Amino acid sequence: MAKEVIKVPDLGGADQVDVIEITVAVGDTVAAEDSLIVVEGDKASMDVPAPMAGKILSISVSEGDQVSEGDVIAEIETEAAGDDSSAEEEKTESAEEQAPREEESSASEDSGDEEESAGGQEKDETVTVPDLGGADAVDVIEISVQAGDEVAEGDSLIVVEGDKASMDVPAPFAGTVVSIDVKEGDKVSTGDKLGVLKTTSGGGGKKAESSKAEKKPAEGAPKKAESSESVVKASEEPPAAPQKDHHLERDLTPSAEVYAGPAVRKLARELGVTLNKVKPTGPRNRVTKDDLHAYIKEQVKKAESGAVGVGGGIGIAPMPEIDFSQFGPVNVEPMTKIHKLTAANMSRNWLNVPHVTQFDDADITELEDFRKSMKAEAEKRGVKLTPVPFLLKAAAAALRAEPSFNVSLHNDGEHIVHKDYVHIGMAVDTPKGLMVPVIRDVDKKGLYELAEEATAMAIAARDGKLKPRDMQGACFTISSLGAIGGTGFTPIVNAPEVGILGVSKLSVQPVWNGKEFVPRKMLPLALSYDHRAVNGGDAGRFMTYMVSVLSDVRKLLL
Ligand code: CAO
């Protein structure tokens, strides 16, 4: 057993980088190469791995600290005496590997492309792809500059992306871009020529040289917190660079699946923005800095307008936490997945959609007579003819007659999507919760076919056999509680649809026919709609059309 001090390795020239994550705790046992901390500079994030296996005795850095090469990160108790030598071997190897990398990276002064200018002050220097931390043949996904651009040292020239990470390739010195010799979609490896930069004052090449010189072992001694003799030998010399993903940005956040460069990710983190909420406009759907700014602007605008609209900025208060057992015996059960999903969708729709609900009663006396006369025939065909297929057919006819209901609001808030298909969702009450299978092309199907499909869908819903696609693509929903009871209810719009019809139990009512009251079978209907997409006039026409079709089924044939 031996104690070793682990220090920040060569950071590829970066200095004072932020510690953004501590990935181990005191007492943890780590294997060699396990990540200890994650650091982030201007251009990239990287893991700092354990140089050897062992138990973490202490951690000397905290999240938010700034560290440089040589700073102490942690103290580790190695498993066995042999570890030292193997660590040393590894380090020696790393050092050897590192040397050619340093030569490969940045500008290659001895390149044949160099051209001294008349005054000897300016020269063209070939810029090559630097060390990619072992990654090979990575994609060029963005060209950040073009010929003629002035760049400062460290400005991104191109962005490359490997399997799990992306990185900016920075200018090794300030200068003017003479050419960029790769294009989006190319594959590049360490040492490949990526372009030519003209140094502006002759100092660029030197600067690159001197920054390299800084990395040389002799001058790379730890800058602070130098301590015990048991410091890992290799860590006194800088090249203990991580062998994997050196420079490469790690998947750090839930936004990792989003394409974005390290600088954009850093900014997003600083601003507290979840990147996958930002609409990407960059090449290959990359989130750019401009996208981030546009998103923030939009959020600020929304927040400001919301505060005004909600009467002096009074928001929605959180639900209080209540211990119901103080009032009597309770039994707490987990919600089903469907129930949780329904709850989330209902809240979303209720809070986002300005609802209006319109009511009417349809006189379905004739429809009921017709339906009953067809019942025997339907049974022979093996289908149950309830009012639901008639409602589906009438709603489809109304959607065709009043297409203002067959729309969705576009996500951009600036367009309306008009649909030239008529798929209708049918709410089904199941033991696991509410499900809404979708019957497609309702306008093209006959009553028996609809009855058959509605029954099959309701059975599949109750047996838990619906596939995701069976519940997608509806233009409108019918929620029939007729068989259960009630005189009326206000259904919640199933966004992105803009309308839903709630059907209650029919009852026999005295209706004035101009001469006398006659008993009629009246079906209570409630039409909820999204008032952003549909105006009251359209809703009135839609409902009137539905009622007239249900009151005279012959119209369904038209
Ligand atoms: N008024 C009076 N009786 C009605 C009726 C109405 N509006 N609608 C249906 N009925 C009758 C049927 O005709 C049937 O009677 P008969 O057997 O004598 O013909 C009986 O009620 C039972 O019908 P059903 O429930 O088997 O079939 P359905 O086609 O009416 O409904 C379905 C199918 C899937 C819509 C229904 O079973 C269901 O799950 N409804 C609940 C929907 C729901 O939960 N909505 C709330 C969502 S939250 O907003």
Side-chain angles (χ1 to χ4, degrees):
M1 295 272 180
K3 278 186 195 171
E4 305 282 1
V5 170
I6 303 174
K7 295 184 175 185
V8 175
D10 171 21
L11 296 168
D15 197 29
Q16 292 288 296
V17 295
D18 295 331
V19 176
I20 56 164
E21 201 178 331
I22 310 280
T23 41
V24 289
V26 172
D28 281 0
T29 302
V30 294
E33 293 299 321
D34 277 0
S35 172
L36 299 175
I37 61 171
V38 183
V39 294
E40 185 173 69
D42 283 348
K43 299 286 167 191
S45 322
M46 65 180 272
D47 289 316
V48 176
M52 77 284 287
K55 190 173 164 189
I56 302 292
L57 297 176
S58 66
I59 298 170
S60 317
V61 293
S62 313
E63 273 176 28
D65 282 0
Q66 290 207 314
V67 293
S68 297
E69 181 189 334
D71 287 353
V72 174
I73 300 172
E75 224 185 352
I76 189 168
E77 188 175 61
T78 56
E79 304 269 318
D83 281 354
D84 255 340
S85 59
S86 67
E88 250 176 68
E89 261 168 41
E90 263 180 44
K91 301 296 174 211
T92 318
E93 230 172 83
S94 316
E96 278 163 9
E97 276 175 26
Q98 189 69 14
R101 275 194 216 148
E102 295 291 358
E103 277 158 29
E104 280 167 349
S105 68
S106 309
S108 52
E109 287 87 340
D110 55 357
S111 154
D113 287 3
E114 284 175 22
E115 264 177 33
E116 290 268 350
S117 72
Q121 292 292 302
E122 294 185 341
K123 58 178 181 173
D124 287 355
E125 293 205 16
T126 298
V127 180
T128 56
V129 176
D131 172 21
L132 295 169
D136 196 30
V138 296
D139 293 327
V140 175
I141 55 166
E142 205 175 317
I143 307 288
S144 322
V145 291
Q146 56 186 18
D149 283 357
E150 296 281 340
V151 291
E153 182 190 350
D155 279 359
S156 175
L157 298 176
I158 64 170
V159 184
V160 294
E161 185 169 69
D163 281 350
K164 289 198 183 141
S166 59
M167 69 177 275
D168 291 320
V169 176
F173 50 83
T176 308
V177 178
V178 176
S179 67
I180 290 291
D181 302 329
V182 292
K183 54 185 187 321
E184 274 173 25
D186 282 359
K187 285 195 183 294
V188 293
S189 298
T190 301
D192 286 355
K193 178 181 175 186
L194 73 85
V196 177
L197 275 189
K198 190 190 286 292
T199 59
T200 41
S201 63
K206 278 202 189 101
K207 181 147 196 189
E209 229 171 283
S210 68
S211 74
K212 280 183 203 171
E214 271 167 30
K215 290 182 213 161
K216 283 181 187 157
E219 294 169 41
K223 292 180 185 69
K224 59 173 173 171
E226 180 70 7
S227 66
S228 85
E229 286 166 17
S230 58
V231 168
V232 180
K233 194 177 169 206
S235 70
E236 285 171 1
E237 298 173 358
Q243 293 300 293
K244 283 189 277 183
D245 291 354
H246 184 197
H247 300 304
L248 290 187
E249 180 196 9
R250 221 181 66 124
D251 290 352
L252 290 172
T253 66
S255 309
E257 64 277 16
V258 177
Y259 287 109
V264 173
R265 283 184 189 274
K266 189 173 181 223
L267 184 61
R269 218 170 358 250
E270 280 166 9
L271 298 170
V273 173
T274 309
L275 270 179
N276 51 19
K277 288 192 179 155
V278 180
K279 192 178 165 198
T281 62
R284 285 181 54 189
N285 270 346
R286 290 178 64 73
V287 175
T288 64
K289 254 186 190 167
D290 285 350
D291 297 338
L292 210 52
H293 289 140
Y295 175 80
I296 304 264
K297 230 166 151 180
E298 191 193 358
Q299 295 308 308
V300 170
K301 220 160 100 185
K302 269 191 199 162
E304 280 173 0
S305 61
V308 173
V310 193
I314 298 170
I316 299 165
M319 296 293 281
E321 231 176 79
I322 298 171
D323 173 14
F324 294 95
S325 65
Q326 64 183 304
F327 307 120
V330 292
N331 175 26
V332 181
E333 275 180 359
M335 287 166 86
T336 63
K337 214 167 137 194
I338 294 172
H339 196 165
K340 280 197 268 186
L341 212 64
T342 305
N345 287 344
M346 289 295 176
S347 309
R348 183 199 63 191
N349 297 342
W350 181 249
L351 291 171
N352 282 301
V353 177
H355 280 75
V356 175
T357 306
Q358 166 159 353
F359 304 92
D360 208 344
D361 291 339
D363 182 342
I364 60 165
T365 313
E366 264 101 51
L367 184 152
E368 279 296 274
D369 290 345
F370 175 67
R371 185 175 73 86
K372 284 198 176 124
S373 73
M374 299 295 293
K375 240 181 148 182
E377 168 68 19
E379 266 162 30
K380 262 194 232 158
R381 290 170 176 251
V383 292
K384 188 176 173 192
L385 204 56
T386 69
V388 166
F390 292 88
L391 289 161
L392 285 165
K393 200 74 197 146
L399 285 166
R400 283 289 184 202
E402 292 296 337
S404 56
F405 263 81
N406 201 2
V407 300
S408 279
L409 291 172
H410 196 282
N411 271 348
D412 64 11
E414 294 185 12
H415 296 88
I416 298 256
V417 181
H418 294 268
K419 299 164 194 174
D420 194 19
Y421 52 83
V422 180
H423 305 335
I424 298 181
M426 175 185 71
V428 180
D429 182 33
T430 83
K432 287 194 173 158
L434 174 67
M435 306 207 71
V436 188
V438 178
I439 300 174
R440 286 169 201 277
D441 298 313
V442 176
D443 55 331
K444 296 180 186 144
K445 291 177 178 165
L447 284 169
Y448 288 133
E449 198 178 355
L450 290 173
E452 201 175 342
E453 217 172 306
T455 307
M457 284 292 199
I459 292 171
R462 286 175 181 137
D463 292 348
K465 294 210 171 124
L466 288 177
K467 297 184 188 75
R469 190 166 160 74
D470 293 336
M471 291 175 279
Q472 291 164 357
C475 309
F476 184 82
T477 292
I478 294 178
S479 176
S480 172
L481 288 175
I484 299 169
T487 56
F489 65 104
T490 56
I492 296 177
V493 171
N494 198 9
E497 298 155 40
V498 298
I500 180 168
L501 184 77
V503 184
S504 296
K505 192 177 178 70
L506 77 82
S507 62
V508 178
Q509 302 276 335
V511 175
W512 184 252
N513 69 3
K515 289 188 204 137
E516 56 185 345
F517 280 103
V518 288
R520 307 292 292 177
K521 289 177 178 157
M522 304 303 288
L523 184 70
L525 302 175
L527 175 69
S528 292
Y529 57 92
D530 182 341
H531 209 345
R532 295 172 304 173
V534 177
N535 62 39
D538 292 331
R541 279 184 286 275
F542 184 93
M543 183 65 123
T544 305
Y545 189 87
M546 277 279 309
V547 166
S548 80
V549 166
L550 289 169
S551 303
D552 184 354
V553 277
R554 289 169 307 177
K555 288 189 181 151
L556 286 177
L557 304 171
L558 300 176

